[in-house]
Amino acid sequence: MTTPVIAALLMLLVVTRDGWRRSGWASLGLHRSGLRLWPVAVLLPLGVIALGGALAAAFGVAEWSPVGQAADVSPALWPAIFLLNVLYAAVTGSLTEEIGWRGYLLPRLTALGERRALLLSGLMHGLFHLPVVLLTSLYLPAGNRAVVIPMFLATVAAAGVLMGWLRLRTDSVWPAVLAHSTHNVAIAWLAGLLAGDETTMEYVAGEAGVVPVTAYAVIAVVLLVRARPAASSGGCAPAVHAAVAPPARAL
């Protein structure tokens, strides 16, 4: 999860040397909070994952069975604990990933047009996970690989449209970080609140599940329809565009 930020730092400090100028660091979107879209960044991913869990329970795929942290504390404290978990994720793994994907890469892809940039950055983010999915049992271990992997890539690509849209509309990477964190924490909480067959749950409500991929796809379609055309795809401040087009000597 640290490799995207390492790649961004190498690009900034070694390859383009944009990092030796203030505008290069400003291009990452860390200097703005993007506060106005924080509610969207938290509520939409939470709603997507909650919908998957609710439908899994409604159709008998899983049953309510809190374990671990969820079982040890009062439900009245769950919202506060959930938000603390989101904030912790936001300043650790989600941040290091998003600095690379939505902080550095996405604004530079907008030269292709905003729609293509949003889709491509999301798909690349999904492909980035494939080594750990294919070569280990640490991530997405349940289900048929021929089904799970395409569905997972579709989920991450569609969710990436939302995260990228948040980034471009605020000139800040923080809303994308919050959306990423909320998604990850919600998936973890889902596993702690519902008990069911692991493979079936993955197909229905997991990151390769029908419900999340469909819900994220609907959100993505709405945002892509509203995306800026290629001629005016720049969604970031001038500092970003200055970094996108470095002097010829830097190439």
Side-chain angles (χ1 to χ4, degrees):
M1 295 180 76
T2 61
T3 53
V5 71
I6 293 172
L9 291 174
L10 288 173
M11 290 299 297
L12 284 169
L13 297 174
V14 180
V15 179
T16 69
R17 299 188 68 81
D18 289 328
W20 300 102
R21 298 189 294 271
R22 181 178 297 181
S23 62
W25 295 107
S27 73
L28 298 178
L30 291 165
H31 62 301
R32 299 177 187 271
S33 69
L35 185 63
R36 65 185 178 86
L37 288 182
W38 282 20
V40 175
V42 172
L43 293 176
L44 278 183
L46 178 58
V48 168
I49 304 306
L51 177 63
L55 291 178
F59 286 100
V61 173
E63 60 182 16
W64 182 257
S65 181
V67 298
Q69 180 176 250
D72 294 337
V73 300
S74 168
L77 297 176
W78 288 356
I81 295 172
F82 180 87
L83 288 176
L84 286 174
N85 288 342
V86 169
L87 292 175
Y88 174 77
V91 296
T92 53
S94 298
L95 177 60
T96 57
E97 282 201 65
E98 288 302 319
I99 286 176
W101 296 114
R102 256 65 65 168
Y104 183 85
L105 180 65
L106 176 61
R108 288 154 178 82
L109 291 177
T110 56
L112 303 174
E114 191 171 280
R115 293 188 182 96
R116 291 178 182 176
L118 291 171
L119 285 169
L120 185 58
S121 62
L123 180 59
M124 292 172 70
H125 187 196
L127 292 171
F128 162 78
H129 291 81
L130 289 190
V132 73
V133 174
L134 293 171
L135 301 177
T136 77
S137 59
L138 299 174
Y139 198 51
L140 300 176
N144 187 311
R145 301 293 87 185
V147 176
V148 168
I149 290 175
M151 291 290 283
F152 169 74
L153 291 177
T155 298
V156 178
V161 171
L162 169 61
M163 296 174 197
W165 179 86
L166 291 166
R167 161 69 164 114
L168 296 180
R169 288 303 177 273
T170 60
D171 191 23
S172 170
V173 76
W174 293 108
V177 170
L178 282 176
H180 190 155
S181 300
T182 302
H183 171 91
N184 286 352
V185 173
I187 284 287
W189 272 60
L190 187 69
L193 293 175
L194 295 178
D197 178 72
E198 186 179 11
T199 299
T200 306
M201 277 292 290
E202 185 61 62
Y203 288 154
V204 175
E207 288 188 292
V210 172
V211 177
V213 73
T214 301
Y216 275 128
V218 170
I219 294 170
V221 168
V222 172
L223 297 178
L224 290 171
V225 167
R226 298 166 61 88
R228 299 182 180 116
S232 59
S233 61
C236 301
V240 172
H241 294 290
V244 173
R249 62 178 175 82
L251 297 176

